[in-house]
Amino acid sequence: MERFIMALDQGTTSSRAIIFNHSGQIIATEQQEFKQFFPHPGWVEHDAMEILDSQIKVARDVLKKNNISPEQIASVGITNQRETVVMWERATGKPVYNAIVWQCRRTADMCSAIEETGVKNLIREKTGLLLDAYFSGTKVKWMLDNVPGLNERAEKGEICFGTIDSWLLYNLTGNHYTEPTNACRTLLFNLHTGDWDDELLDILNVPRNVLPEIKPTCGHFGHIKKEFFGEEIPICGIAGDQQASLFGQACYNVGDAKNTYGTGCFALINIGKKPVISQDKLLTTVAWDIGDGIEYALEGSVFIGGAVIQWVRDQLHMIEDAEETEKMALSVENTGGVYLVPAFVGLGAPYWDSRARGAIFGLTRGSSDAHIVRAALESIAYLSRDLIEALQQDFGKRISSLKVDGGASKNKFLMQFQSDILGIPVIQSELPETTALGAAYLAGLHSGYWDSKETIKNNWRIKNTFKPKQEIIKRKQMIEKWDKAVDATRHFRV
Ligand code: ADP
């Protein structure tokens, strides 16, 4: 009987279940989207029950449709949208409010008020994060403050808090656990001790008894109850999406780095066993704890990555499909001096300018749609380079190559340009689903499906390597012009 690993990939817009074999190849996959709720401007919620139900449904379907019996699943790994908060009744497992999603900005004012009490540096030092509405902590406080009676019930031990991993785990196994890659995104977790922190809990008024117990990323989280699949299946690995992708990309050594080109871009560098706190508002995060202590990563993101291509498609109507951009970009020799700075929602690291708005420079009578499309693709690479430069500054060393994944990494022009502008090889892995794969690897490593990280690393195969072709002088000139374009963008204020 051939055995497999099942990854449950609970993302922001859909739940997926993916079956992997011993070579790390995808055998089968199922996906279901779920509703997004926007009850007020800037607020984003999910129905926690719909998240759970859709996750269970895709897991059942992927087994059934492919004639895979639950006994064939050696273990299950979970990866999930991070920072999203669910609170539920301990006795019934019923959510007390919709899940507040990572994107939700409802606690922005709360963050400013907390900052005024002078705890900004303490929070930064202990958590490696920024005091921002993005992270879980203030969302938990918001629920405790705003759901009638919740605070009192929480004090009495009747309420559980969890990020999405915990929420799924509690319902599937009955265990109220989490692990460090998720816990470290809450503002309640101390990076240095690897545990919840009383001082942080005090600042956010969160009672300790709502919190899940923290287990290693790779370990035994309990068995999925028989009622779900007809047989018990152990859950042996859990990680937040970006860390799972770092693991799936086999970035196991200090200095290994990956960039995911999705709607936004997420870059992480493995920095080893010491949590360096960024000087540049980047995040320090737990990479994983696979049983021999916590390893850390530096993380940063570009807000508008592949989204600039969606904009070219949906607002400018220059293309019908993102794939067309590659051919269009290659149909011209360069952008003809056009620079596009997609600061649609401000600029992140290293600029941190929330008031900046997008701009296109260098237009002439000769500027064509192809020039603009090319400039849009190049902007993804320039912004990623700016971010990776900042990460390297904090890390204190240069990286020697960059592994890539995500939808837009399929674009060969973009990847070649990325390599040219970074001056290092850009490496595309053969297996595209690195996030789910990372969760599968974590689970399979613990359950003995894979015997070591080395075996997993041997599974990791290169699809394409893009080597830098640009002369150094030319690269410098291009970056100088890009810097000018960003500078000019930031000078424009309405
Ligand atoms: P997410 O996980 O954030 O939904 P995906 O990894 O699915 O994102 O990638 C989708 C993004 O990548 C979209 O923003 C899309 O515009 C962009 N994209 C997809 N294919 C290409 C391509 N061939 N060239 C450039 N961008 C692309």
Side-chain angles (χ1 to χ4, degrees), residues 244-258:
S245 139
L246 192 69
F247 201 82
Q249 285 277 28
C251 290
Y252 303 145
N253 296 324
V254 175
D256 285 353
K258 71 97 193 175

Side-chain angles (χ1 to χ4, degrees), residues 4 45 134 156-157 233 251-252 299 312 326 342 386 390 397:
F4 307 105
E45 295 179 0
Y134 179 62
K156 281 195 256 167
I233 311 175
C251 290
Y252 303 145
E299 171 179 326
V312 167
E326 183 174 328
D386 292 343
K397 289 182 207 140

Side-chain angles (χ1 to χ4, degrees), residues 6-26:
M6 177 156 66
L8 304 181
D9 182 356
Q10 207 305 300
T12 308
T13 55
S14 74
S15 298
R16 300 194 303 154
I18 303 183
I19 309 279
F20 291 97
N21 70 8
H22 204 261
S23 317
Q25 285 159 332
I26 294 175

Side-chain angles (χ1 to χ4, degrees), residues 223-429:
H223 281 91
I224 300 182
K225 292 176 199 161
K226 212 171 167 179
E227 65 197 68
F228 292 105
F229 304 110
E231 287 297 329
E232 288 192 339
I233 311 175
I235 296 180
C236 295
I238 298 182
D241 52 12
Q242 293 309 320
Q243 291 97 329
S245 139
L246 192 69
F247 201 82
Q249 285 277 28
C251 290
Y252 303 145
N253 296 324
V254 175
D256 285 353
K258 71 97 193 175
N259 193 21
T260 299
Y261 299 78
T263 312
C265 298
F266 280 91
L268 274 81
I269 298 183
N270 181 329
I271 58 168
K273 297 218 161 179
K274 244 182 84 199
V276 179
I277 303 296
S278 162
Q279 301 304 308
D280 204 7
K281 289 195 186 172
L282 295 161
L283 308 176
T284 311
T285 201
V286 171
W288 45 71
D289 174 358
I290 57 171
D292 53 359
I294 291 180
E295 291 174 57
Y296 299 90
L298 278 167
E299 171 179 326
S301 61
V302 169
F303 302 146
I304 302 290
V308 69
I309 301 304
Q310 290 167 314
W311 177 76
V312 167
R313 184 191 62 193
D314 301 338
Q315 310 299 129
L316 301 188
H317 306 288
M318 284 179 176
I319 52 168
E320 276 178 18
D321 197 301
E323 264 178 51
E324 293 166 36
T325 57
E326 183 174 328
K327 227 172 155 189
M328 265 176 105
L330 289 168
S331 73
V332 285
E333 218 164 282
N334 50 46
T335 65
V338 175
Y339 282 79
L340 192 161
V341 184
F344 302 153
V345 292
L347 287 166
Y351 306 105
W352 297 110
D353 186 346
S354 60
R355 290 173 59 208
R357 289 297 173 262
I360 302 179
F361 296 98
L363 295 173
T364 66
R365 282 287 296 269
S367 303
S368 69
D369 51 355
H371 291 125
I372 290 176
V373 163
R374 183 166 171 136
L377 284 172
E378 290 188 358
S379 76
I380 304 174
Y382 279 121
L383 285 171
S384 290
R385 179 203 162 266
D386 292 343
L387 172 63
I388 288 161
E389 280 297 317
L391 285 166
Q392 293 183 117
Q393 284 274 310
D394 281 328
F395 175 46
K397 289 182 207 140
R398 311 296 295 172
I399 58 169
S400 55
S401 63
L402 179 71
K403 290 181 174 174
V404 296
D405 51 57
S409 74
K410 285 181 283 186
N411 189 309
K412 292 202 188 79
F413 165 78
L414 173 59
M415 293 302 106
Q416 182 57 52
F417 190 79
Q418 185 70 83
S419 171
D420 287 344
I421 215 72
L422 278 171
I424 55 172
V426 163
I427 305 171
Q428 215 176 25
S429 90

Side-chain angles (χ1 to χ4, degrees), residues 68 73 149 190 255-256 262 276 304 312 342 367 384 456 474 481 486:
I68 298 168
I73 303 300
N190 185 322
D256 285 353
V276 179
I304 302 290
V312 167
S367 303
S384 290
I456 291 176
K474 182 84 197 307
K481 280 203 183 144
V486 171

